[in-house]
Amino acid sequence: MSGAGVPKIRLRGLAKSFGPKVVLDGVDLDIRAGHSMVILGGSGSGKSVTIKCILGLITPDAGTIEIDGRDVAKLSRREREAVNDRIGMLFQNGALFDSLPVWENVCFKLLAQRRITRRAARDKAAEVLAQVGLAASVSDLYPSELSGGMQKRVGLARAIAAEPDIIFFDEPTTGLDPIMGAVIDGLIVDCVKRLGATAVSITHDMASARRIGDDAAMIHRGKIVWTGAAATLGETGNAMVDQFARGEREGPIQMELRK
Amino acid sequence: MKAPEPLDRALDLTAAIGRAAILVLRGAGAVALFAAEAISHLLRPPFYGRLFLKAFIEIAWFSLPVVALTAVFTGMVLALQSYTGFARFNAEGAVANVVVLSITRELGPVLAGLMVAGRIGAAFAAEIGTMRVTDQIDALNTLSTNPMKYLVAPRLLAGTIAMPLLVVIADILGVMGGWLIGTQQLGFSSGAYLKATFDFLEAWDVISGLIKAAVFGFVVTLMGCWCGYQSGGGAQGVGRATTSAVVSSSILILALDYVLTAMMFTR
Ligand SMILES: Nc1ncnc2c1ncn2[C@@H]1O[C@H](COP(=O)(O)OP(=O)(O)OP(=O)(O)O)[C@@H](O)[C@H]1O
Ligand SMILES: [Mg+2]
């Protein structure tokens, strides 16, 4: 893969097991700065675990994670927090704070970092909510009063509100209608273009993957089995990736499951 | 060669006790580290005053009705019981003293502690446990917020401060409950009953009870937060966390009550 110098995120030999269950078994991956990476893989293949390892939420059993060329395991707690201050994350299930209204959820990080007053936070929240296609009137609702798709979009707004350098999207368009899905795709592309952010998205939607991704990687059985340009998904020449991208029942992945 | 059957069984039993002891010790160590980390966050900014206030109101204000009822009835029962019991050796006059000493030194803090364990320990464990299983605690980490500082520290502080206040009120209401029965049913005059109450009461009786209350408040909120923080496994896990928060803090209250009493009243 080309690209100027150090990748934004570099994974080497990342391994993680839960008890006897091996989830990651030596993941190697480079994510280019200022580009959008899409991670593909079957359900339960360890995509979310990979992201949680990068965020420091799960401690890997082995392997290194470098962000901007620095091994995060060697950082002090304060330095680690400083790295995380520049990262945004959309959780697969939203993970909104259900004791806080929507506007406080959206501006949580800005408020925590004291970059904004509580008064200004309401306006800021309305602005970010508009970007994800939500009316300012949802500001005062609580997460439990929102539909699933609305929760997803509030989670998205929360992830991007602080304008981070690196953004992780764990299934950003799952549960949205097709038009809203396309709007969110556009928003992710915009974050990368306008903010110069590095985006890492997990998705099962191939059309969406081609729209938002510069690069793509496929994880299978705990390893990265393919990386390449997202635009080529579906005709990569790699039997496994093509089967996955086209959603075919017959192919190498099916064969392995039968064993 | 096999050991004879009874010896085998005895060894099994020792091994089981040993395993349980190791488990308890390891748990106690982990809880102690958890508490130490939370306390260290109370000393370093940022401080979450808003969250402290919310927890404080939850503990002090909303526990007030339960604690008040418990105290009044306990005072009433104490008066009745000691009157009928002491009548056997003509010591009915000691009713007021017995009520005030039992309430301030013992029953006020212990019963209020147990009530708060049921209310607050359970509520905190359920709330924090739910946050754990729905990734909200992970989300805090990604949003420049330390979950120990945000979730645990303010609650511990609130519990430690709120419990003594609750117990002051419990003390007053407990004495009033005794006075009510004493004057309405047992034939004491109001003045004589109150005079007897305060004549033998020492400041230390009340203060020792308040120290106990502070410790119990800390323990209840600590176990609530700890059990919630450690929970996993979906709704069932949260249910288990809630149960163990209430059970463990209740047992700890009773055990620590003995330890504290021994420390404060045996010279
Ligand atoms: N905290 C955990 N404890 C035990 N096992 C876990 C834990 N987190 C994840 N796993 C296991 O790790 C595997 C990978 O999980 P992960 O959430 O990364 O899957 P995924 O690739 O994101 O799948 P999906 O597309 O369905 O979200 C799963 O088999 C899951 O059972
Ligand atoms: Mg996932």
Side-chain angles (χ1 to χ4, degrees), chain A residues 32-36 164-167 191-199:
Chain A
R32 296 189 288 163
H35 287 72
S36 173
D165 290 342
I166 306 174
I167 321 180
C191 281
V192 178
K193 291 258 160 61
R194 192 167 50 84
L195 304 177
T198 306

Side-chain angles (χ1 to χ4, degrees), chain A residues 55 58 108 110 177 192 218:
Chain A
L55 285 162
I58 294 178
F108 194 92
L110 291 168
D177 66 76
V192 178
M218 170 136 169

